[in-house]
Amino acid sequence: MSNHLVCGIRHTEIFRIRKAYALTSTPEYESVMIPAEPWSIRANPQELASFVVNVASRSNYSFPFHKSSVLIILKCDEAKPTCSYCQKKDAPCWFPRSEFEVAWRDQNQVASKAVRRRINARDRSASDDERQQRNTGLIRRDGSDVPRVLPQDHEQYALTFFFDTYLGPSTLATHQRGFLGCVFPAWARAAPSSPLRPAVNACAQALLEAWSSLNPNAPQSLARPYYIQVIAAIRRHLQNAEDVDDDVLLATLLLDMYDGIRSFCGARPHESPHVKGSVAMIENRRNIPLTSKTSPSTLMGVRSRIVGDALKKGEPISTNVLTWTPATQNTPKTAEIELEVINIKVANLQVSAAQLKIPGMAALAPGLMAKAIQLDEQLLAWTATIPDEWVPTYIWDLESIPQTVRQAGFYGDHCTIHQSIWTAETLNVHCISRITVGLVVLSCLEHVQDATKDITRMGILTTLQNLADTICASVPFYLGDRFEARRIDDKSIQYPHARDNPTPDGHYITAAAYGGMFLMKKLAELLKLAPFLRPGQIPWILGQMGRVRKIYEARPT
């Protein structure tokens, strides 16, 4: 038996932990089980080499790991730039040197130990048949509409599922929303060390798990190791003072998408921590020209996330996002982009209106109300610029709206159908923008002395009610008659449709893939109108939000 001391004198892979845990090994020391059974997936040695495993406790200890090692555990005083022990032994010191590294440390070993205890306790009370099933692969809860076991080649299966279902031609044929349209070509030519590759894998694995009723928020999620690889790759990229290329920006956007998937599946708000990181990287981008085909789409994707996040959180937006580079200035002015330009002003107006709550700031009200009315006129004028095929179709007859759709969730006497989920989403974003402006006008009216303010208030309340009704009328187009989890390609689901025009094949997958996440955000925004909507509408909205959670099996975490 050989003795190995601390800090990588004999090995380059250092597992710095704060208490000695028993690690499950294979014949070679490089392969450590991540995570524990029932997943039975072992980490790739090359992937594992980039990790530093940190486990929380009060004291700091360091040691290498090998099958034949006798561990001599010594306390590390974390002196910088070299701890006292390594300085004495003239050895390289390997402990993490930044808060970033500590913040993103890998917790798989701690999670594996806890999961292993729960599984062992469950197995002791399980039948032989149940035990046999758990050993055959990744098991989900019982259900006839979704396969019980995922393929063992889970990575390729997840990538195929992601590209075909979420980025396929039928999904993004006409409206390549934000950056999604350039993910596949960028991924196809990305280098093996590019952070874009694990970023795509993280999203693909999380979505496949969600559709297989496997919680992507679980510690043993197969998506988590990829997420950690992305963080490590971006960090190395920035530490090496390399310039920010399109792959890095796309990776941060996919990290935001991954966090959004986990937030949606965990029934919690999406905090979007990676959006600000993307902005910082764009503003510090130095030498790489923005001439590739993916650069404009990537930058516009970042801007779209900034605008959406600012509107949701009531944060200001710098006007620099309008003129980051010539690449964005030369981007075709589509209806979506024009709406985003207006929404930058709406977000900043919302921030300014919040100052009215501060004592002594009532004098701002007349000016803010004038800006709000002007922005509402711009939003109304925007509707005249959209393509003719974007205009929704209003339907109300029994032949076009199946009875099961009416029973599942139907508000009022009609519903709307759209060219695609993407156009429905854009039009609903427009409604939310007008609602935001209307609420600003209402707050200003409380500080304005005007003989006509009661008439103005009634007009605004009527507009807000109509906008809320418009969003509610789109719910059947998003959800159809779904009430529970179904396969993503299930064509037995019924949707409202125009007479003699059946539901397009692409809508079955697109509505299932994106509809729930899109709709949940809009319904949550309508809750701001609770004091102003007609009786019974808010309970209906809350019921539809609960329906979305049930359909997508969102589990609070």
Side-chain angles (χ1 to χ4, degrees):
M1 301 287 285
S2 59
N3 294 333
H4 297 272
L5 297 178
V6 299
C7 294
I9 298 175
R10 296 285 298 276
H11 300 294
T12 58
E13 295 171 39
I14 303 303
F15 293 84
R16 174 185 171 272
I17 67 176
R18 298 176 180 171
K19 133 180 214 193
Y21 282 90
L23 301 177
T24 304
S25 68
T26 61
E28 296 297 329
Y29 80 95
E30 295 94 349
S31 185
V32 177
M33 186 171 290
I34 300 179
E37 291 183 4
W39 303 83
S40 301
I41 304 297
R42 292 186 181 277
N44 184 297
Q46 287 76 20
E47 297 173 350
L48 190 63
S50 65
F51 296 156
V52 176
V53 179
N54 294 276
V55 180
S57 116
R58 290 191 178 181
S59 300
N60 302 323
Y61 297 94
S62 301
F63 62 85
F65 176 76
H66 192 279
K67 178 180 68 171
S68 60
S69 297
V70 173
L71 302 177
I72 298 177
I73 305 172
L74 299 175
K75 189 169 184 177
C76 176
D77 60 8
E78 294 197 12
K80 295 184 179 181
T82 303
C83 72
S84 58
Y85 182 85
C86 293
Q87 187 174 20
K88 180 179 178 182
K89 295 296 183 181
D90 193 25
C93 194
W94 293 88
F95 64 80
R97 300 176 184 274
S98 71
E99 294 181 2
F100 185 95
E101 193 165 346
V102 174
W104 294 105
R105 57 181 177 253
D106 182 16
Q107 299 290 338
N108 276 318
Q109 297 299 331
V110 181
S112 296
K113 188 172 182 181
V115 171
R116 200 176 295 120
R117 284 198 303 267
R118 293 196 297 270
I119 291 171
N120 290 338
R122 184 183 63 186
D123 281 345
R124 284 194 293 269
S125 60
S127 66
D128 292 338
D129 289 341
E130 290 171 334
R131 247 184 238 112
Q132 173 99 14
Q133 283 185 345
R134 288 185 191 130
N135 292 329
T136 60
L138 305 180
I139 306 301
R140 66 171 295 278
R141 294 194 300 275
D142 290 337
S144 59
D145 290 327
V146 182
R148 288 178 57 82
V149 181
L150 294 181
Q152 290 301 315
D153 188 7
H154 58 91
E155 179 176 323
Q156 290 301 320
Y157 188 90
L159 287 173
T160 301
F161 171 77
F162 180 55
F163 288 132
D164 287 352
T165 305
Y166 281 80
L167 306 181
S170 63
T171 307
L172 296 175
T174 306
H175 309 288
Q176 296 181 346
R177 181 73 172 177
F179 67 97
L180 292 175
C182 59
V183 168
F184 177 76
W187 173 88
R189 64 172 180 265
S193 59
S194 169
L196 180 59
R197 287 191 166 269
V200 170
N201 279 329
C203 290
Q205 291 285 355
L207 287 168
L208 183 60
E209 288 174 2
W211 279 104
S212 302
S213 295
L214 298 166
N215 188 359
N217 289 290
Q220 67 269 33
S221 167
L222 299 180
R224 179 174 167 78
Y226 293 114
Y227 178 79
I228 297 172
Q229 287 180 52
V230 184
I231 296 296
I234 294 177
R235 183 173 179 270
R236 285 196 303 270
H237 193 95
L238 298 177
Q239 283 184 333
N240 294 336
E242 299 177 33
D243 213 338
V244 179
D245 57 15
D246 291 339
D247 284 9
V248 175
L249 288 178
L250 282 172
T252 58
L253 287 171
L254 287 168
L255 285 177
D256 182 68
M257 182 177 181
Y258 169 81
D259 284 344
I261 295 165
R262 294 182 68 238
S263 298
F264 179 72
C265 293
R268 64 174 185 268
H270 180 199
E271 299 299 331
S272 307
H274 299 289
V275 173
K276 293 181 179 179
S278 300
V279 176
M281 286 190 285
I282 290 173
E283 292 178 346
N284 289 283
R285 188 168 179 165
R286 298 180 295 276
N287 301 320
I288 297 180
L290 296 168
T291 56
S292 70
K293 293 182 179 180
T294 59
S295 293
S297 296
T298 303
L299 290 172
M300 298 309 296
V302 175
R303 192 176 81 173
S304 177
R305 289 295 301 117
I306 293 170
V307 173
D309 203 47
L311 284 170
K312 181 179 70 174
K313 297 180 179 179
E315 296 176 348
I317 303 175
S318 170
T319 54
N320 290 338
V321 300
L322 292 173
T323 56
W324 269 332
T325 66
T328 56
Q329 293 174 356
N330 297 330
T331 302
K333 300 299 187 289
T334 64
E336 289 177 302
I337 291 177
E338 292 293 346
L339 181 60
E340 281 182 3
V341 172
I342 300 174
N343 280 340
I344 292 174
K345 301 175 185 177
V346 173
N348 290 331
L349 174 70
Q350 184 178 220
V351 174
S352 300
Q355 300 179 39
L356 294 175
K357 299 178 182 179
I358 303 174
M361 302 299 288
L364 297 175
L368 289 175
M369 189 166 72
K371 289 182 180 179
I373 293 174
Q374 184 181 16
L375 276 177
D376 192 55
E377 291 174 352
Q378 292 181 32
L379 288 167
L380 279 172
W382 175 86
T383 59
T385 67
I386 64 174
D388 292 341
E389 59 269 21
W390 282 31
V391 178
T393 302
Y394 290 77
I395 57 175
W396 53 85
D397 58 291
L398 294 176
E399 184 179 345
S400 300
I401 307 172
Q403 184 61 29
T404 54
V405 172
R406 293 179 180 272
Q407 294 171 347
F410 199 82
Y411 188 80
D413 58 357
H414 71 277
C415 67
T416 54
I417 56 175
H418 301 259
Q419 183 195 39
S420 70
I421 282 292
W422 301 103
T423 57
E425 171 66 5
T426 303
L427 293 174
N428 280 343
V429 168
H430 172 261
C431 289
I432 294 298
S433 300
R434 291 200 64 202
I435 287 172
T436 303
V437 171
L439 290 175
V440 169
V441 174
L442 287 179
S443 63
C444 290
L445 286 173
E446 296 178 2
H447 303 278
V448 173
Q449 299 299 325
D450 191 322
T452 63
K453 76 174 188 176
D454 290 338
I455 298 175
T456 303
R457 177 182 171 83
M458 291 301 298
I460 294 296
L461 291 178
T462 301
T463 299
L464 294 178
Q465 180 66 72
N466 292 336
L467 292 169
D469 291 346
T470 299
I471 294 176
C472 291
S474 69
V475 170
F477 181 76
Y478 281 87
L479 302 181
D481 63 356
R482 285 182 294 164
F483 245 126
E484 58 186 5
R486 305 283 287 274
R487 289 182 63 97
I488 195 170
D489 58 350
D490 190 346
K491 292 187 178 180
S492 66
I493 298 169
Q494 297 193 65
Y495 291 93
H497 56 85
R499 187 177 300 178
D500 301 326
N501 288 321
T503 301
D505 288 344
H507 184 68
Y508 290 98
I509 291 180
T510 310
Y514 291 102
M517 288 187 284
F518 287 168
L519 184 61
M520 196 67 156
K521 296 176 183 178
K522 303 303 172 290
L523 294 177
E525 289 292 326
L526 291 184
L527 298 180
K528 297 178 181 179
L529 299 178
F532 311 117
L533 298 184
R534 67 174 63 90
Q537 193 162 10
I538 288 297
W540 185 89
I541 292 171
L542 291 172
Q544 294 305 303
M545 293 175 69
R547 178 187 170 197
V548 173
R549 294 190 188 98
K550 183 178 179 180
I551 290 171
Y552 291 91
E553 299 183 298
R555 297 173 283 267
T557 57

